[in-house]
Amino acid sequence: MSCFADDCLPMATTTPLVVIGITLILAWLLHRLLKWKSLGWQRCDPVLPPGSLGLPLLGETLQFFSWSSSLDMSPFLKKRLQRYGPIFKTNLLGKDLIVSLDTELNNYVTQQEEKAFQIWYPESFMRIMGENNIVSASGSLHKYMRNMVLRVFGPENLRLLLLKDVHSAVSMSLASWAEKQSIELKTASANMILSVTAKWLIGYDTSASSEELWKFYDIRGLLAFPLNVPGTAFYRCVQGRKNLMKVLKQLIDGRRKNAKPLERKNFVDLVIDELKKERPVLNEEVAFNLLFALLFASFETTSSAITVILKFLTDNPKALQELTEEHEQILKQRTDPNSEITWDEYKSMKFTSCVIHESLRLANIAPVLFRKAKQDVQIKGYTIPEGWIVMICPAAVHLNPTTYNHPIVFNPWRWKDISEPVGGSNDFLAFGWGSRFCVGADFAKLQITIFLHYLTTKYRWKVVSGGNMVLSPGLAFPKGCHIEIAPKS
Ligand code: HEM
């Protein structure tokens, strides 16, 4: 009897797995059949772009996320561009998609926001950001939210208040980094940025506890299979969101009970004012999700930009020299070289702007933009059926050799001849384009510029370990980027 039971044991454990496997494959086949039926039988045959939908369930997800240490377009995109042309279909994270490496389709999709297309992001992203947020909002609610954000991070506040705060955060951070043997640049700059953003968003002093805010958080979970299982990046991201939401709730409850009128309102005060209205436009859930999205966006993106810019400058001494000269020239023109940076000085930093644009062009910090077709769209001989997703890859635009000569070379000087793409353009999608253009773009550029000003005029630095960047397809530094900085003598 015992011998019989032992023999059966492996079968007893493998049989349910086999049954689950077969059920999943049958469900996937049924799903495909229904989709084909809805496309092919009920309408006259749409011509979908060429391409492969890959393996059941996985699609081509693994190939898409594979690492590449080159600045060139990822092997995934390059291979399919050669095989199918600039518009092709694939399946990523369980979703059929049409990939656009085509300028005309990109233009059409981004300019048709809320008409033929609407914004869409994968389930993992929406579950982390919260279902109702600025990304999913449309029409007047979307405009209202953008205006609220611009009341804090718009040009007027940047000039009058944030310039000064960024100056203090940068000078204090650099001084404290110089006292350490080395720092990991992305983490340290994220904390520096958070000290300004958290103050203006939630009135939160990060000097004591910035790590608390992002405990457990892992950005890789944003674009992932939404499996909320311990050990996955998605799970860590969900834990990070829960943690931050707890802090936000305590803060807002505290402010509500203890609402002393402030000279200048931070974003939480605007939210509280809004929620107090008889007919508020935002409800509590939307307001919390907006705060989360803003904290996340400012924490994650600008710190990546600073890291990649320093990496490019380390590898390109000529660019570093011209940048340093631009900033030293500003000091020479001042009566007091130690005085704070002024708005006019900030606006005069032309080569710095070239360095920022060139770095963002190559690094593609937001590697993909998604939109969903609201109706069947006929373009370039193909049909994009209603409900299908188009994934725009800015890398294809940024590495187009007809627009950017020798596209994978870091060449900030090329921007001297290009007028600044204010509000984005069809050749520069680093901050998006159209009505969804990044609402924090000016704030991000201000922070990076002031950081470079203080760094190049007062400090020297060298990379002491890590610093190798990969694209997967988002920018990552697998071993970090550890730098040592010291005051200039
Ligand atoms: C280097 C830094 C940054 C980069 C590269 C970047 C990139 C982008 C891109 C590409 C989009 C458009 C997404 C789409 O069309 O689907 C976007 C939107 C957005 N960004 Fe940024 N961003 C940066 C910094 C920031 C900062 C500092 C904030 C907040 C203060 C911010 C807040 C937002 C928000 C709220 C949206 C959504 C806008 C909307 O849907 O109307 N970003 N960003």
Side-chain angles (χ1 to χ4, degrees), residues 412-474:
W413 294 274
R414 71 172 91 234
W415 289 92
K416 287 190 168 178
D417 305 323
I418 304 175
S419 53
E420 186 169 337
V422 182
S425 81
N426 56 352
D427 292 326
F428 187 70
L429 298 175
F431 291 109
W433 192 30
S435 60
R436 296 276 169 180
F437 183 75
C438 176
V439 78
D442 287 337
F443 180 41
K445 284 195 249 175
L446 178 100
Q447 295 184 84
I448 300 169
T449 307
I450 294 181
F451 176 78
L452 291 174
H453 175 73
Y454 284 98
L455 183 72
T456 55
T457 50
K458 298 206 180 320
Y459 296 91
R460 306 175 262 111
W461 80 89
K462 64 175 186 216
V463 176
V464 287
S465 74
N468 293 334
M469 66 184 218
V470 297
L471 301 172
S472 85

Side-chain angles (χ1 to χ4, degrees), residues 185-243:
L185 184 56
K186 166 112 179 10
T187 316
S189 36
N191 284 334
M192 171 182 78
I193 285 157
L194 202 62
S195 68
V196 181
T197 326
K199 175 181 162 194
W200 279 98
L201 283 175
I202 54 180
Y204 187 77
D205 177 6
T206 58
S207 55
S209 50
S210 69
E211 277 160 26
E212 273 300 298
L213 275 186
W214 293 102
K215 213 161 62 180
F216 311 128
Y217 166 79
D218 182 343
I219 192 195
R220 287 169 301 172
L222 268 190
L223 287 186
F225 283 105
L227 291 174
N228 199 8
V229 176
T232 61
F234 180 71
Y235 176 83
R236 286 191 292 278
C237 228
V238 171
Q239 297 310 306
R241 176 182 161 93
K242 276 192 194 152
N243 195 47

Side-chain angles (χ1 to χ4, degrees), residues 158-159 161-167 341-343 446 450:
L158 290 184
R159 184 168 61 84
L161 300 164
L162 286 159
L163 182 72
K164 204 174 166 58
D165 276 10
V166 173
H167 157 90
I341 204 161
T342 66
W343 186 254
L446 178 100
I450 294 181

Side-chain angles (χ1 to χ4, degrees), residues 65-71 184-187 218-221 300-301 303-309 311-312 359 362-367 465-482:
F65 283 106
S66 60
W67 283 11
S68 158
S69 52
S70 154
L71 286 174
E184 200 290 298
L185 184 56
K186 166 112 179 10
T187 316
D218 182 343
I219 192 195
R220 287 169 301 172
E300 200 48 58
T301 52
S303 57
S304 293
I306 286 181
T307 310
V308 82
I309 290 172
K311 171 73 181 138
F312 284 136
S359 306
L362 282 169
N364 290 305
I365 288 170
S465 74
N468 293 334
M469 66 184 218
V470 297
L471 301 172
S472 85
L475 174 73
F477 286 84
K479 296 202 169 139
C481 181
H482 300 262

Side-chain angles (χ1 to χ4, degrees), residues 119 121 142 146 297-298 301 366 369 371 430-432 436 438-440 444:
I119 194 155
Y121 271 84
H142 174 237
R146 282 185 72 95
S298 53
T301 52
L369 311 176
R371 298 294 186 267
F431 291 109
R436 296 276 169 180
C438 176
V439 78

Side-chain angles (χ1 to χ4, degrees), residues 197-313:
T197 326
K199 175 181 162 194
W200 279 98
L201 283 175
I202 54 180
Y204 187 77
D205 177 6
T206 58
S207 55
S209 50
S210 69
E211 277 160 26
E212 273 300 298
L213 275 186
W214 293 102
K215 213 161 62 180
F216 311 128
Y217 166 79
D218 182 343
I219 192 195
R220 287 169 301 172
L222 268 190
L223 287 186
F225 283 105
L227 291 174
N228 199 8
V229 176
T232 61
F234 180 71
Y235 176 83
R236 286 191 292 278
C237 228
V238 171
Q239 297 310 306
R241 176 182 161 93
K242 276 192 194 152
N243 195 47
L244 184 69
M245 282 303 193
K246 220 167 31 191
V247 177
L248 289 180
K249 185 136 186 48
Q250 281 163 2
L251 272 166
I252 294 197
D253 287 350
R255 271 304 285 139
R256 267 173 164 168
K257 281 186 207 131
N258 216 341
K260 284 184 258 139
L262 294 176
E263 200 185 313
R264 274 278 170 173
K265 295 193 171 190
N266 64 37
F267 197 78
V268 163
D269 297 313
L270 296 182
V271 166
I272 292 172
D273 288 351
E274 173 68 32
L275 295 176
K276 273 194 207 145
K277 285 183 187 163
E278 207 172 304
R279 281 205 206 129
V281 178
L282 306 189
N283 62 32
E284 196 163 298
E285 184 206 349
V286 177
F288 272 78
N289 287 340
L290 178 57
L291 272 169
F292 179 83
L294 292 173
L295 277 169
F296 164 79
S298 53
F299 173 82
E300 200 48 58
T301 52
T302 317
S303 57
S304 293
I306 286 181
T307 310
V308 82
I309 290 172
L310 252 61
K311 171 73 181 138
F312 284 136
L313 289 173

